[in-house]
């Protein structure tokens, strides 16, 4: 614990419509970007041990999104890792993401969903949220169909929408 440490934090936020598509597309995008972050920044560059991106589309206090990238690293790596992270984001915006990465995320999500569907806590959380957000509780049942419908184009559009580097 005596070595110098640094923390890279990037934030993106803005107004957006609170809906199921925006939420799912942002979540999928961040999962795929985290795959890239692990492969490039941790495995190829040996620059980080952990960290990644997370975010959400929120309804309250107003409809908006927030995204945060957090990368702990050594101070000597801040500049090159920040540049590499922005490169990953730019690549997702301009070239899109890899189908194999999206397929990994889809498969993982569907397995988790099937397991969670057997949990009373999952049902309670989702039914409570449907009531609080005044949404259709039957939406719980079409999750796999919505995940299957995600495309690499959806995620490229989400990258442009939610990760504007001027913001």
């Amino acid at each position: 614990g005596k070595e110098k440490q640094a923390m890279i934090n990037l934030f993106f936020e803005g107004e957006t419509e609170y809906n199921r598509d925006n939420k799912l597309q942002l979540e999928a995008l961040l999962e795929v970007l985290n795959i890239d972050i692990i492969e490039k920044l941790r495995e190829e560059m040996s620059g980080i041990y952990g960290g990644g991106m997370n975010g959400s589309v929120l309804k309250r206090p107003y409809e908006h999104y927030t995204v945060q990238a957090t990368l702990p690293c050594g101070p000597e790596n801040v500049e090159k890792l920040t540049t590499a992270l922005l490169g990953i984001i730019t690549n997702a915006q301009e070239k899109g993401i890899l189908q194999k990465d999206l397929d990994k995320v889809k498969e993982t999500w569907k397995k988790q969903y099937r397991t969670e569907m057997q949990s009373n806590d999952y049902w309670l959380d989702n039914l409570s949220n449907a009531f609080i957000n005044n949404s259709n509780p039957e939406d719980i049942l079409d999750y796999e169909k919505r995940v299957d419908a995600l495309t690499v184009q959806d995620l490229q559009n989400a990258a442009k929408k939610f990760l504007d580097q001027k913001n």
Side-chain angles (χ1 to χ4, degrees), residues 24 31 99 102-118 122 140-150:
L24 192 67
E31 290 280 342
Q99 183 67 49
L102 177 56
D103 291 342
K104 272 189 224 177
V105 170
K106 286 181 176 185
E107 191 57 37
T108 300
W109 281 5
K110 290 190 296 185
K111 283 180 186 175
Q112 289 172 340
Y113 171 75
R114 290 179 197 128
T115 301
E116 290 172 346
M117 286 288 285
Q118 299 173 30
Y122 177 79
I140 299 166
L141 303 174
D142 71 353
Y143 180 77
E144 283 187 87
K145 184 174 116 184
R146 290 180 39 248
V147 167
D148 283 334
L150 282 171

Side-chain angles (χ1 to χ4, degrees), residues 1-45:
K2 294 181 181 180
E3 295 180 23
K4 292 183 180 181
Q5 296 180 18
M7 182 73 70
I8 300 168
N9 285 302
L10 296 178
F11 298 92
F12 302 89
E13 62 181 2
E15 293 186 21
T16 193
E17 183 180 352
Y18 177 86
N19 62 46
R20 296 169 68 206
D21 289 336
N22 278 341
K23 286 175 55 83
L24 192 67
Q25 290 170 8
L26 177 59
E27 290 169 9
L29 171 65
L30 296 176
E31 290 280 342
V32 169
L33 292 178
N34 281 329
I35 292 170
D36 278 350
I37 288 168
I38 289 168
E39 288 176 354
K40 291 186 175 88
L41 277 56
R42 185 173 75 188
E43 294 174 6
E44 287 178 24
M45 299 175 71

Side-chain angles (χ1 to χ4, degrees), residues 8 106 120 123 164:
I8 300 168
K106 286 181 176 185
N120 287 337
W123 283 95
D164 180 358

Side-chain angles (χ1 to χ4, degrees), residues 21-116:
D21 289 336
N22 278 341
K23 286 175 55 83
L24 192 67
Q25 290 170 8
L26 177 59
E27 290 169 9
L29 171 65
L30 296 176
E31 290 280 342
V32 169
L33 292 178
N34 281 329
I35 292 170
D36 278 350
I37 288 168
I38 289 168
E39 288 176 354
K40 291 186 175 88
L41 277 56
R42 185 173 75 188
E43 294 174 6
E44 287 178 24
M45 299 175 71
S46 300
I48 61 171
Y49 292 113
M53 297 182 78
N54 62 53
S56 57
V57 176
L58 304 161
K59 188 171 187 175
R60 286 176 289 284
Y62 61 97
E63 294 183 356
H64 69 287
Y65 68 91
T66 62
V67 175
Q68 179 178 1
T70 305
L71 303 173
C73 64
E76 68 281 0
N77 293 326
V78 169
E79 200 63 42
K80 74 177 182 179
L81 291 173
T82 302
T83 301
L85 176 60
L86 293 173
I88 289 170
I89 292 169
T90 300
N91 191 54
Q93 293 168 328
E94 294 175 358
K95 296 179 184 173
I97 57 104
L98 297 176
Q99 183 67 49
K100 72 175 182 70
D101 291 340
L102 177 56
D103 291 342
K104 272 189 224 177
V105 170
K106 286 181 176 185
E107 191 57 37
T108 300
W109 281 5
K110 290 190 296 185
K111 283 180 186 175
Q112 289 172 340
Y113 171 75
R114 290 179 197 128
T115 301
E116 290 172 346

